[in-house]
């Protein structure tokens, strides 16, 4: 039989002190007959405590779990066996745990092997810390008799008086007895809302919290003096499991361990390995035949299932189980996904418009017309020969799908869409704040982080060593200057590394194009551009995915060496660095294609070279917009499929499988442990720790950039983002419910710094789309030709107008094609895309007036487009109020009702005092009338008459 030790705190009211009671059948010394009789009469203790959800008494609920490693010596097992065989001779077979904070050890029959210094130090710190927790009012119970070898668990329960005390400290808003009617719509709006509710009923989750409410309880910050205001009929459910775990976590952070000049909270103890994990428990199992109904099971069925992808999210239940911060993330993700629906519809219409008008597009028809017989100059030196423009017909037709007048409208639409989305989210956020009683919530300064405390301690010890009197130390900018310098140099290096990799891919494209051009087959030469583009984009995608993971780790390390004081400061600095590096990593290849490729090529006879051997790339005859579309679509889809979905599914599954193999190997050592059913805290310990919401937000913010920044080149981006997000919501939900330990609920009234990043991307999207339309597409050159140079007011002759002529005799030595007769005839004049003077002009090959006219039109369009769209976005921002009118009315109504409640309470107190005074007066009169001796002994019986109200 295995020795089982449990710490149970006796109530202070009964004993006056807190005592850790160590109970073990073998240590107490029951003989075998007595233990058999007890086992036959008692029920399964694991079933009584619902397999770890309650203490062993089956009454006190487990609110939090602390996990630690301990070395289980072989002496304990040997003595346990000896106790079974010789139960009358051996009374104590194992060293008892000392009292927390006392360091007192009981005598033992035989000593255990000596543990090393570090293990002793950790044990002493645990004892002191747990003793301090007991002094703070928490109740503890220890369990080392688990299926996981060498792992001990400390179960923590917060009694009612502790919950009330901490709820008052944290100013938690709790529902009162007072209920009031929520304002309902009337007339036509009421009928419209009822119709919408009936239509959307099939897509509503079957959750009680999601049903529309007509009545709401008035909420007020909890106060022990005003407990009569709150509905305390069921004290066990008044504070739900999420609130209880939050309260316990606050106590854990506040409680310190001060041995050896250390001042350590739970974060420091976790960082130093004193405890290996700390987490609240899940409500129970989410699958199985005989599983009791619980919120986790309900979330798994109605939220974390791919079969309910078409339904709304039960956001209120998510908030109830995981807390406001996680609830706001999923609410934001839901609003973003809903807003993608109209953007996807408009994007599909724009794409279909391009498909419908491709046969009517005159420039692409001219490029595909072989009768024009336009001979183009070689794409590379020596190995490349002259080529016919009609060979690029497919590229020109495909470019029209995305480069047409409708894309300009779509760019304006998406800019307004981004502004509308931000306003819609602000209004939704205010509704959630009202529903979740966060309207008056203000975030307080968090506890210092463990690393910050350690640095401050190190600094104070250095000053003590120099015999200097110091006040309370803190880290200054001088202490952090080396970290700031490292951050600056590191970020510059990482950005330079990204540019270097993009430059390397450019060299690959140029060299590969030249190598493939040597191919003797005509089919090989015709597919050079497609092959080079596709392979280069795949290389970019692989590099982006790898660097994303590397940059995430580097951003965390750079933030750690800064030693921010609080978790909030740490998170904001980490988000800024990670977003900066990942933004540069994801968008640098796209920026190159959009704004730099084909801009610095030169001209035939005077090309620009890299390293004196590689000629700069040129855009296709139809422009670089088609290549930008390919680049954007492959990177966006690749990141979503591989990084966001495959990694999120595969990596947790792989980690879970590795943990399963380790546990299986441990269980094989002890068959008795393997046969027992796992406790709830053992099951949750095997889950993946919660790592924060930063990775979840980051992937969505990068996707938002793909949807808005270059939407002029890829109108289908919102559609692919919508399809991805439908899967992403359920994938994240399944991960939170089934794969992760339950995170500590954190109160939050907004999404924090992410909102500012979204606004910044929305503003930047207007500028980038203006430049994409002006400089990457041919929209402006077409307008200039149509209104300035066209003879008949049509686009006929536009292609010829954009091409300049070059005399092949002006090639530099060694750059002319090796096979000038590849087309079957001798070429004297070839064409290239640029606005330059012809070779027969006096200023041959100089930039022509047409170039300056087009450039002026492009810059004018950028200025007009940017200011017009910015004005329209600000107008949308101004015209839509941040707080919905009905919510502001309800908030005002709550304030009025709360004032009425307190006024009635004051009136009741005054009436009670007046009643007491009247009773006192009447008693005094009765005493004077019926007792004539009162005049002689006023100090006696008269005073007793007046003592009644004082006693009350």
């Amino acid at each position: 039989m295995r020795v089982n030790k449990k710490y149970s705190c006796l109530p202070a009211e009964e004993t006056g002190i807190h005592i850790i009671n160590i109970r073990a059948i073998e240590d107490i010394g029951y003989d075998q007959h007595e233990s058999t009789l007890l086992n036959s009469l008692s029920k399964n203790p694991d079933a009584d405590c619902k397999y770890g959800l309650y203490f062993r008494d089956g009454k006190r609920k487990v609110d939090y779990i602390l996990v630690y490693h301990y070395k289980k010596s072989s002496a304990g097992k040997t003595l346990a066996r000896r106790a079974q065989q010789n139960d009358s001779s051996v009374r104590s077979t194992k060293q008892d745990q000392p009292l927390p904070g006392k360091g007192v050890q009981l005598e033992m029959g035989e000593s255990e092997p000596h543990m090393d210094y570090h293990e002793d130090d950790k044990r002493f710190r645990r004892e002191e810390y747990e003793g301090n927790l007991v002094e703070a009012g928490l109740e503890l119970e220890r369990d080392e008799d688990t299926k996981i070898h060498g792992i001990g668990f400390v179960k923590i329960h917060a009694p009612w008086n502790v919950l009330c005390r901490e709820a008052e400290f944290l100013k938690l808003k709790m529902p009162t007895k007072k209920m009031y009617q929520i304002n309902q719509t009337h007339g036509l709006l009421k009928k419209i809302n009822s119709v919408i509710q009936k239509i959307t009923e099939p897509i509503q989750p079957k959750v009680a919290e999601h049903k529309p409410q007509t009545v709401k309880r008035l909420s007020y910050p909890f106060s022990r003096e005003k407990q009569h205001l709150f509905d305390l009929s069921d004290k066990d459910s008044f504070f739900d499991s999420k609130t209880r775990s939050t309260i316990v976590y606050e106590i854990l952070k506040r409680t310190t361990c001060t041995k050896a000049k250390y001042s350590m909270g739970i974060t420091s103890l976790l960082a130093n390995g004193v405890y290996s994990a700390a987490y609240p428990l899940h409500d129970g199992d989410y699958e199985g035949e005989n599983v009791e109904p619980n919120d986790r099971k309900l979330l798994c069925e109605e939220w974390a299932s791919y079969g309910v992808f078409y339904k709304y999210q039960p956001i209120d239940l998510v908030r109830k189980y995981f807390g406001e911060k996680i609830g706001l993330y999923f609410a934001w993700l839901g609003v973003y996904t809903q807003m993608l629906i109209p953007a996807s519809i408009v994007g599909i219409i724009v794409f279909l418009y391009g498909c419908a008008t491709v046969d009517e597009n005159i420039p692409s028809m001219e490029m595909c017309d072989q009768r024009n017989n336009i001979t183009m100059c070689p794409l590379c030196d020596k190995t490349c020969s002259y080529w016919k423009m009609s060979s690029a017909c497919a590229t020109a037709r495909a470019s029209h799908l995305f480069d047409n007048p409708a894309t300009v409208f779509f760019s304006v639409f998406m800019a307004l869409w981004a502004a509308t989305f931000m306003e819609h989210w602000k209004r939704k956020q205010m509704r959630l704040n009202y529903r979740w009683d966060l309207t008056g919530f203000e975030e307080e300064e968090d506890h210092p982080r463990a690393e910050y405390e350690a640095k401050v301690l190190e600094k104070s010890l250095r000053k003590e060593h120099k015999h200097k009197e110091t006040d309370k130390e803190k880290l200054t900018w001088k202490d952090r200057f080396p970290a700031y310098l490292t951050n600056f140099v590191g970020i510059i290096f990482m950005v330079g590394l990204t540019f270097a990799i993009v430059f390397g891919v450019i060299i690959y494209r140029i060299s590969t194009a030249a190598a493939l051009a040597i191919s003797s087959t005509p089919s090989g030469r015709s597919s050079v551009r497609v092959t080079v583009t596709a392979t280069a984009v795949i290389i970019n995608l692989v590099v982006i995915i790898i660097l994303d993971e590397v940059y995430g780790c580097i951003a965390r390390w750079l933030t750690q060496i800064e030693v921010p004081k609080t978790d909030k400061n740490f998170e904001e600095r980490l988000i800024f660095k990670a977003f900066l590096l990942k933004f540069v990593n994801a968008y640098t290849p796209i920026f190159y294609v959009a704004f730099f490729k084909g801009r610095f090529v030169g001209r035939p006879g005077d090309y620009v070279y890299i390293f004196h051997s590689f000629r700069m790339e040129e855009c296709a005859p139809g422009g670089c917009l088609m290549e930008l579309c390919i680049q954007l679509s492959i990177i966006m889809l690749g990141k979503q499929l591989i990084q966001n979905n495959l990694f999120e599914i595969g990596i947790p599954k792989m980690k879970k499988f590795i943990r399963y193999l380790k546990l299986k190997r441990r269980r094989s050592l002890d068959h008795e442990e393997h046969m027992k059913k796992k406790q709830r805290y053992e099951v949750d310990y095997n889950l993946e720790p919660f790592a924060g919401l930063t990775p979840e937000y980051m992937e969505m913010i990068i996707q938002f950039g793909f949807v808005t920044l270059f939407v002029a080149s890829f109108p289908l981006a919102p559609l692919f983002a919508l399809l991805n997000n439908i899967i992403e919501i359920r994938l994240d939900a399944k991960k939170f419910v089934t794969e992760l330990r339950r995170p500590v609920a954190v109160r939050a009234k907004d999404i924090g710094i992410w909102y500012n990043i979204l606004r910044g991307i929305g503003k930047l999207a207007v500028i980038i789309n203006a430049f994409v339309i002006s400089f990457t597409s041919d929209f402006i050159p077409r307008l200039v030709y149509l209104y300035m140079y066209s003879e008949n007011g049509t686009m006929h002759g536009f292609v010829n107008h954009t091409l300049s002529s070059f005399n092949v005799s002006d090639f530099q030595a060694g750059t002319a094609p090796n096979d000038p007769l590849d087309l079957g005839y001798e070429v004297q004049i070839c064409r290239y895309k640029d606005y330059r003077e012809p070779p027969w002009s006096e200023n041959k090959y100089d930039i022509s007036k047409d170039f300056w006219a087009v450039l002026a039109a492009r810059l004018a369009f950028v200025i007009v487009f940017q200011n017009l769209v910015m004005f329209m976005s600000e107008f949308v921002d101004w015209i839509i109020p941040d707080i919905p009118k009905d919510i502001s009315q309800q908030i005002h109504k709550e304030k009025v009702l709360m004032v009425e409640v307190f006024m009635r309470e004051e009136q009741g107190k005054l009436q009670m005092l007046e009643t007491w005074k009247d009773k006192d007066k009447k008693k005094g009169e009765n005493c004077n009338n019926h007792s004539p001796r009162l005049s002689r002994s006023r100090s006696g019986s008269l005073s007793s008459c007046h003592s009644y109200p004082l006693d009350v």
Side-chain angles (χ1 to χ4, degrees):
M1 186 177 294
R2 185 170 302 278
V3 178
N4 182 30
K5 295 186 302 176
K6 295 177 294 181
Y7 281 46
S8 63
C9 173
L10 299 179
E13 295 82 2
E14 297 178 9
T15 63
I17 58 171
H18 292 287
I19 299 175
I20 300 297
N21 182 21
I22 306 171
R23 294 174 294 177
I25 291 176
E26 290 85 350
D27 292 347
I28 294 173
Y30 283 119
D31 61 19
Q32 197 167 3
H33 173 74
E34 290 171 337
S35 63
T36 306
L37 180 63
L38 283 172
N39 288 334
S40 63
L41 293 176
S42 64
K43 296 180 181 179
N44 182 6
D46 290 342
D48 290 342
C49 67
K50 295 188 178 181
Y51 295 99
L53 288 174
Y54 288 82
F55 276 24
R56 286 293 179 185
D57 56 16
K59 297 178 181 178
R60 292 174 291 172
K61 189 173 183 180
V62 177
D63 298 319
Y64 218 87
I65 291 290
L66 299 179
V67 187
Y68 61 92
H69 289 272
Y70 69 94
K71 290 185 178 180
K72 185 181 284 188
S73 64
S74 59
K77 294 186 177 181
T78 305
L79 294 172
R81 294 194 195 100
R82 197 176 300 168
Q84 287 183 336
Q85 295 170 2
N86 307 312
D87 53 1
S88 61
S89 60
V90 180
R91 310 299 291 175
S92 179
T93 61
K94 189 169 180 171
Q95 180 181 354
D96 290 334
Q97 294 278 354
L99 299 179
K102 303 296 182 185
V104 180
Q105 296 183 355
L106 301 176
E107 292 183 0
M108 56 184 176
E110 297 181 31
S111 62
E112 290 186 348
H114 181 68
M115 300 173 71
D116 58 28
Y117 170 77
H118 294 292
E119 289 299 322
D120 284 341
D121 183 55
K122 289 179 182 179
R123 182 161 55 86
F124 291 149
R125 291 190 197 177
R126 283 199 298 269
E127 289 167 4
E128 184 196 359
Y129 184 71
E130 289 166 18
N132 293 340
L133 291 179
V134 170
E135 290 178 4
L138 298 178
E139 298 177 3
L140 311 182
E141 185 177 84
R142 177 169 292 185
D143 186 8
E144 292 182 356
D145 186 22
T146 64
K147 295 183 72 174
I148 307 176
H149 182 73
I151 300 292
F153 297 89
V154 178
K155 296 175 277 187
I156 303 176
H157 168 77
W160 172 255
N161 60 332
V162 174
L163 293 173
C164 293
R165 182 190 71 204
E166 297 298 323
E168 186 172 353
F169 290 166
L170 296 174
K171 301 176 183 176
L172 295 180
K173 272 193 172 183
M174 304 302 294
T176 63
K177 297 176 184 177
K178 176 68 176 177
M179 302 180 73
Y180 68 94
Q181 196 80 16
I182 297 176
N183 293 340
Q184 301 293 322
T185 54
H186 301 283
L188 182 62
L189 285 175
K190 185 176 181 180
K191 293 181 180 178
I192 294 173
N193 288 338
S194 63
V195 171
I196 293 173
Q197 286 179 7
K198 289 180 181 178
I199 293 173
T200 59
E201 188 176 355
I203 60 175
Q204 300 290 345
K206 297 176 182 177
V207 175
E209 286 80 358
H210 197 76
K211 294 178 181 178
Q213 297 179 349
T214 57
V215 177
K216 187 177 184 293
R217 284 188 180 274
L218 194 63
S219 295
Y220 184 73
F222 188 82
S223 172
R224 286 172 290 180
E225 295 179 355
K226 293 182 171 59
Q227 287 193 29
H228 58 277
L229 295 177
F230 303 94
D231 184 9
L232 302 179
S233 56
D234 186 6
K235 290 185 177 182
D236 292 336
S237 61
F238 183 73
F239 294 106
D240 56 16
S241 59
K242 176 254 303 181
T243 307
R244 296 175 71 99
S245 62
T246 303
I247 288 173
V248 173
Y249 183 64
E250 286 296 322
I251 298 175
L252 292 177
K253 286 197 297 183
R254 193 174 65 228
T255 306
T256 57
C257 171
T258 56
K259 279 191 178 178
K261 293 188 178 180
Y262 279 95
S263 178
M264 308 176 74
I266 185 60
T267 52
S268 301
L269 294 172
L270 288 170
N272 288 287
V274 178
Y275 291 103
S276 57
Y279 52 89
L281 292 179
H282 279 292
D283 278 358
D285 292 325
Y286 59 89
E287 58 184 359
E289 296 180 358
N290 300 322
V291 176
E292 293 184 5
N294 58 72
D295 287 343
R296 188 188 187 194
K297 185 174 185 293
L298 188 59
L299 282 171
C300 189
E301 293 171 353
E302 294 295 328
W303 182 51
S305 172
Y306 295 109
V308 294
F309 73 91
Y310 59 91
K311 289 188 176 183
Y312 285 102
Q313 298 182 87
I315 292 298
D316 291 324
L317 184 59
V318 174
R319 172 254 178 180
K320 178 185 173 185
Y321 193 78
F322 291 110
E324 286 80 5
K325 192 171 184 178
I326 293 175
L328 281 172
Y329 163 70
F330 281 103
W332 173 83
L333 184 56
V335 169
Y336 172 47
T337 304
Q338 288 175 10
M339 289 293 293
L340 283 172
I341 296 174
S344 302
I345 294 171
V346 177
I348 292 171
I349 293 172
V350 169
F351 179 73
L352 292 177
Y353 170 81
C355 294
T357 58
V358 66
D359 292 330
E360 302 172 4
N361 183 39
I362 295 175
S364 61
M365 291 170 62
E366 288 184 348
M367 289 181 64
C368 295
D369 192 357
Q370 297 185 359
R371 293 173 296 178
N372 288 336
N373 197 27
I374 299 176
T375 304
M376 303 296 293
C377 295
L379 297 174
C380 60
D381 294 343
K382 294 184 181 180
T383 55
C384 299
S385 185
Y386 305 105
W387 55 286
K388 290 288 188 70
M389 175 172 272
S390 58
S391 63
C393 175
T395 306
R397 289 174 63 86
S399 296
H400 178 72
L401 301 178
F402 306 100
D403 187 5
N404 56 69
T407 56
V408 180
F409 157 76
F410 190 56
S411 299
V412 176
F413 171 82
M414 287 304 294
L416 298 178
W417 172 88
T420 307
F421 163 60
M422 300 305 296
E423 290 303 308
H424 179 46
W425 166 243
K426 279 198 288 189
R427 291 169 64 83
K428 177 71 172 179
Q429 194 169 254
M430 282 305 303
R431 289 188 181 278
L432 293 176
N433 285 343
Y434 165 71
R435 265 171 34 201
W436 296 349
D437 299 320
L438 294 171
T439 47
F441 171 70
E442 293 295 335
E443 291 186 14
E444 298 179 358
E445 187 176 358
D446 202 357
H447 297 279
R449 297 176 63 249
E451 293 80 359
Y452 181 85
E453 287 184 337
K455 279 285 184 183
V456 170
L457 177 65
E458 183 183 340
K459 182 179 178 181
S460 61
L461 289 176
R462 280 201 308 266
K463 291 198 173 183
E464 282 181 14
H465 184 67
K466 295 178 180 178
H467 305 288
K468 290 183 179 180
E469 293 184 2
T470 58
D471 297 328
K472 188 176 180 181
E473 292 293 337
K474 63 179 182 179
L475 297 184
T476 62
W477 68 270
K478 293 180 180 179
D479 300 317
R480 291 193 173 104
F481 180 75
Y484 290 153
L485 184 62
T486 306
N487 270 260
F488 178 76
V489 174
I491 290 174
I492 294 296
F493 176 76
M494 292 299 118
V495 172
L497 177 64
T498 304
F499 290 162
I501 290 173
V502 171
F503 184 73
V505 175
I506 294 171
I507 300 297
Y508 161 80
R509 293 160 67 111
I510 296 170
S511 58
T512 306
L516 291 176
I518 304 175
S519 173
S520 57
T521 59
S523 60
R525 285 196 293 269
S526 62
S527 61
V528 167
R529 194 181 294 275
V530 177
T531 305
V532 170
T533 300
T535 55
V537 172
I538 292 172
I539 292 172
N540 274 327
L541 174 62
V542 173
V543 170
I544 286 171
I545 291 174
I546 293 172
L547 287 184
D548 254 5
E549 302 300 321
V550 174
Y551 286 169
C553 298
I554 290 175
R556 181 169 290 276
W557 176 74
L558 290 175
T559 309
Q560 285 173 346
I561 64 174
E562 280 187 49
V563 197
K565 184 176 181 180
T566 62
D567 287 329
K568 184 179 180 182
N569 292 341
F570 181 87
E571 186 180 21
E572 288 181 350
R573 296 185 185 194
L574 173 62
I575 288 169
F576 174 75
K577 294 180 185 65
F579 174 73
L580 177 63
L581 293 175
K582 293 190 176 188
F583 182 90
V584 172
N585 181 41
Y587 296 115
T588 299
I590 301 172
F591 270 94
Y592 163 72
V593 175
F595 302 121
F596 297 99
K597 185 178 179 181
R599 309 291 172 195
F600 311 102
V601 177
R603 61 170 179 80
D606 188 20
Y607 284 114
V608 177
Y609 290 90
I610 303 175
F611 305 134
H612 303 288
S613 56
F614 297 106
R615 208 173 91 188
M616 288 294 290
E617 289 183 287
E618 297 181 48
C619 288
C624 280
L625 196 70
M626 185 61 201
E627 189 170 342
L628 176 61
C629 173
I630 295 172
Q631 185 104 3
L632 184 66
S633 59
I634 292 179
I635 291 177
M636 178 182 176
L637 295 177
K639 273 181 66 65
Q640 290 183 167
L641 292 175
I642 298 173
Q643 191 174 22
N644 297 356
N645 294 332
L646 189 62
F647 281 12
E648 284 192 19
I649 296 173
I651 291 178
K653 293 286 185 186
M654 186 174 65
K655 288 182 178 179
K656 192 175 180 180
F657 181 69
I658 292 171
R659 285 196 301 270
Y660 169 76
L661 291 179
K662 289 181 179 178
L663 289 174
K664 190 176 180 182
R665 187 173 59 188
R666 285 176 178 174
R667 289 176 197 164
S668 62
L669 301 175
D670 198 326
H671 180 71
E672 181 185 347
E673 289 183 351
H674 178 67
M675 295 304 292
K676 292 189 300 185
K677 183 177 178 180
K678 276 188 175 183
Q679 303 288 339
R680 175 80 263 151
Y681 42 85
E682 295 178 77
V683 177
D684 287 2
Y685 177 71
N686 294 328
L687 299 177
E688 191 73 14
F690 175 64
L693 289 171
T694 301
E696 314 299 335
Y697 272 113
M698 188 66 71
E699 65 183 70
M700 288 296 106
I701 297 295
I702 295 295
Q703 185 204 81
F704 182 77
F706 282 121
V707 169
T708 55
L709 292 180
F710 297 94
V711 74
S713 62
F714 189 39
L716 296 179
L719 174 64
F720 289 114
L722 173 64
L723 297 176
N724 174 79
N725 287 6
I726 291 173
I727 301 172
E728 180 73 21
I729 289 175
R730 306 304 164 179
L731 182 64
D732 284 350
K734 196 171 186 67
K735 182 173 70 174
F736 272 82
V737 174
T738 64
E739 300 288 340
L740 297 179
R741 293 176 192 161
R742 187 174 183 176
V744 180
V746 178
R747 288 189 296 169
K749 62 188 299 185
D750 52 40
I751 60 175
I753 193 175
W754 297 109
Y755 182 81
N756 298 328
I757 292 175
L758 285 168
R759 284 189 67 87
I761 291 176
K763 303 290 185 187
L764 184 62
V766 177
I767 301 170
I768 289 178
N769 281 305
F771 277 94
V772 167
I773 294 170
S774 297
F775 289 91
T776 309
S777 74
D778 283 339
F779 177 74
I780 299 301
R782 286 172 187 165
L783 286 181
V784 171
Y785 176 78
L786 185 64
Y787 293 106
M788 291 182 62
Y789 300 103
S790 177
E791 297 177 356
N792 51 7
T794 64
M795 293 301 295
H796 288 287
F798 170 72
V799 174
N800 188 60
H801 176 75
T802 59
L803 297 176
S804 299
S805 301
F806 178 75
N807 193 332
V808 299
S809 61
D810 294 332
F811 271 121
Q812 290 181 351
T815 60
N818 295 333
D819 186 9
L821 301 175
D822 184 56
L823 295 177
Y825 57 87
E826 185 179 357
V827 177
Q828 294 182 348
I829 299 293
C830 66
R831 310 293 296 276
Y832 61 99
K833 190 170 184 180
D834 206 349
Y835 291 100
R836 291 182 180 271
E837 297 290 343
W840 51 83
S841 172
E842 294 181 1
N843 304 315
K844 65 177 184 178
Y845 307 133
D846 285 351
I847 293 174
S848 64
K849 295 179 180 179
D850 300 342
F851 172 83
W852 299 111
V854 171
L855 180 62
R858 282 174 163 164
L859 294 175
F861 178 83
V862 168
I863 295 171
V864 172
F865 181 89
Q866 177 184 335
N867 286 280
L868 178 64
V869 175
M870 287 285 191
F871 170 77
M872 294 171 69
S873 299
E874 292 297 327
F875 179 74
V876 169
D877 192 357
W878 173 76
I879 201 172
I880 301 176
D882 294 346
I883 305 177
K885 186 177 180 181
D886 59 326
I887 296 299
S888 60
Q889 290 175 350
Q890 297 292 349
I891 293 172
H892 178 69
K893 186 176 181 180
E894 277 197 352
K895 292 179 180 178
V896 173
L897 288 172
M898 187 56 66
V899 171
E900 289 180 1
V901 168
F902 285 114
M903 289 297 292
R904 287 176 186 172
E905 187 179 357
E906 290 297 323
Q907 290 173 1
K909 288 180 180 178
L910 290 173
Q911 289 176 1
M912 191 177 294
L913 287 173
E914 288 175 1
T915 304
W916 285 348
K917 287 180 180 179
D918 291 341
K919 287 182 179 180
D920 179 33
K921 202 171 183 181
K922 289 178 181 178
K923 278 216 167 191
E925 290 175 357
N926 291 336
C927 289
N928 288 328
N929 294 332
H930 295 90
S931 181
R933 295 179 183 176
L934 287 175
S935 58
R936 291 192 298 268
S937 58
R938 286 188 178 183
S939 61
S941 59
L942 186 60
S943 62
S944 66
C945 289
H946 287 277
S947 66
Y948 171 72
L950 295 175
D951 294 340
V952 173

